[in-house]
Amino acid sequence: MNKIDREKVVEAVFDKIDSLKNVSEAERTSLEIYQKAYQKAKNNPPKEIIGKLDDYTDIGIPLENKWEFSFGKTFETRKEMRNWARQILEGEAIAGVDGSQAPADKIISIPIALVRAVGFVNKHDSDYRRLEKYRCLTSEDSHFESADYLRLNNLEINYARFDLENEIALKSLQENPSLILIDNTFILSYLLFTKTGEYFKLHLDSLLQLLNQVEGESMIAGVVDPSQSKEISTTLSNAYEIKEKPVHDSSLLYQNLDLFDRSCVYRSKRKVLNRYQTTYKGNKVDYSDGIGFFYLRTHSHKPMKIEFPLWIHEEGLVEELADLIRGSCVIGEGYPYELSKAHEHVIISKKEKEKFYEIVQKIAQREGIDYSISQKEFKKRRPVR
């Protein structure tokens, strides 16, 4: 193997040490400013600053009467904590959903890709179900223009994975879960950086159909860990006219939330949510004011962001949602157990990708389809001895 030269890497890092110190100091200074603003805000009920925020976007509107909610329990031993988690989870079913993909590899001449989604439904009574679905794509499936019509656009593969995960989430409803956990955000701002508007619309329609069909059937939440969102600090920036750039909310709350504490519920006012409207089966679906979030500390690192449709808050189910996630994270050593298991089962390893290409080759040969393997690429991937 070609190992990196440790001494040269150390030397390269030290060449940038002053830059790293400057960035670190700037971040620390900004965080201190926002910490002071957050402590100031905590001296008053959240509703007292809401009136100042009507005209702002990309903020979080607090919806509860306190800024933070203490877990209120302590455990002497790990066993006590796990016993509490078992009591919370007893009789509940939680589904975790994740996806993976094997792209159209240039090693083979046929433009075909594979996406896979897995749902792990844990019924917390010594029983579980694994739901699994695959989808193959060729260049004929593409919604997006590509420089080479024979090749598959990566945007197409990413969308197919996203949509297949949502299909599995809907399929998990057959198992009557109390909660469906998605390893993704419900706030699709990151998709706006692409030049293809259709790409965003496809994702959005898929997400809104999922939220619409799940509503009233099961709680659903997107788990973002780590989160780089800045809605809370942007709220503070506007309320207190802070000039420094907003900081990550997870960093802001890190020093304020103890284990299993949560922040209050916020309604997201990210600009992208203005587009959260569609028509599904003849009915208007509108989540433009319908996505909320809170932060939950479940490990020794920064708190995770939990995003969810606000009907959960309106029906008084937020603490139940938080407790189910707390319990799952106890079993999962700080991260929801069901999401960890879904991720474990969904990964397409290098060996499995080779198996996929082998299956494609055999079917192609049997059906009389021209098929070839690039010997250059094949040899480049052989391990160096």
Side-chain angles (χ1 to χ4, degrees), residues 130-328:
R130 193 175 86 182
L131 311 174
E132 191 169 13
K133 196 163 186 178
Y134 294 83
R135 187 184 296 176
C136 278
L137 295 93
T138 70
S139 53
E140 287 191 347
D141 296 307
S142 185
H143 296 85
F144 317 112
E145 292 184 5
S146 175
D148 183 352
Y149 76 95
L150 292 176
R151 307 312 303 179
L152 261 170
N153 193 314
N154 282 332
L155 295 181
E156 186 69 43
I157 301 169
N158 293 337
Y159 163 67
R161 171 180 169 172
F162 181 88
D163 189 55
L164 198 63
E165 289 176 11
N166 292 342
E167 278 191 32
I168 284 289
L170 285 174
K171 188 176 181 181
S172 74
L173 287 176
Q174 299 172 8
E175 304 298 324
N176 299 312
S178 304
L179 172 62
I180 301 171
L181 295 174
I182 308 292
D183 185 24
N184 208 343
T185 177
F186 289 163
I187 302 172
L188 305 180
S189 300
Y190 68 99
L191 295 176
L192 296 178
F193 292 101
T194 65
K195 296 180 180 179
T196 309
E198 181 66 14
Y199 183 61
F200 170 79
K201 187 177 184 305
L202 285 168
H203 280 78
L204 180 61
D205 285 348
S206 178
L207 173 63
L208 294 185
Q209 287 178 29
L210 169 65
L211 296 180
N212 181 65
Q213 289 185 259
V214 168
E215 184 166 342
E217 300 291 329
S218 169
M219 289 190 290
I220 186 169
V223 177
V224 187
D225 186 29
S227 170
Q228 296 183 330
S229 296
K230 300 178 180 180
E231 286 120 311
I232 300 174
S233 61
T234 303
T235 298
L236 296 172
S237 173
N238 292 316
Y240 297 112
E241 299 181 349
I242 302 173
K243 295 181 180 180
E244 280 72 11
K245 291 182 179 179
V247 297
H248 294 154
D249 295 337
S250 56
S251 298
L252 179 67
L253 295 174
Y254 176 61
Q255 298 177 17
N256 293 275
L257 300 179
D258 290 329
L259 185 64
F260 296 136
D261 290 352
R262 71 168 175 88
S263 73
C264 69
V265 170
Y266 294 84
R267 176 172 65 85
S268 178
K269 275 194 70 177
R270 296 284 286 274
K271 280 182 284 191
V272 69
L273 295 180
N274 293 331
R275 307 189 186 191
Y276 273 46
Q277 300 175 26
T278 190
T279 300
Y280 179 63
K281 293 185 175 179
N283 298 316
K284 184 178 180 181
V285 177
D286 187 350
Y287 282 89
S288 55
D289 287 323
I291 303 296
F293 66 89
F294 61 80
Y295 282 82
L296 180 65
R297 181 84 175 267
T298 64
H299 44 55
S300 60
H301 304 291
K302 296 175 183 178
M304 61 177 61
K305 188 183 184 191
I306 308 299
E307 299 175 354
F308 56 94
L310 275 174
W311 67 262
I312 294 174
H313 168 67
E314 292 160 2
E315 295 190 12
L317 298 173
V318 165
E319 202 52 47
E320 180 180 341
L321 169 63
D323 267 351
L324 289 176
I325 296 174
R326 289 177 180 120
S328 178

Side-chain angles (χ1 to χ4, degrees), residues 75-83 329-334:
F75 305 106
E76 296 295 329
T77 64
R78 179 73 185 170
K79 183 177 180 181
E80 282 185 17
M81 186 185 295
R82 293 182 71 86
N83 286 340
C329 287
V330 170
I331 305 301
E333 303 289 341

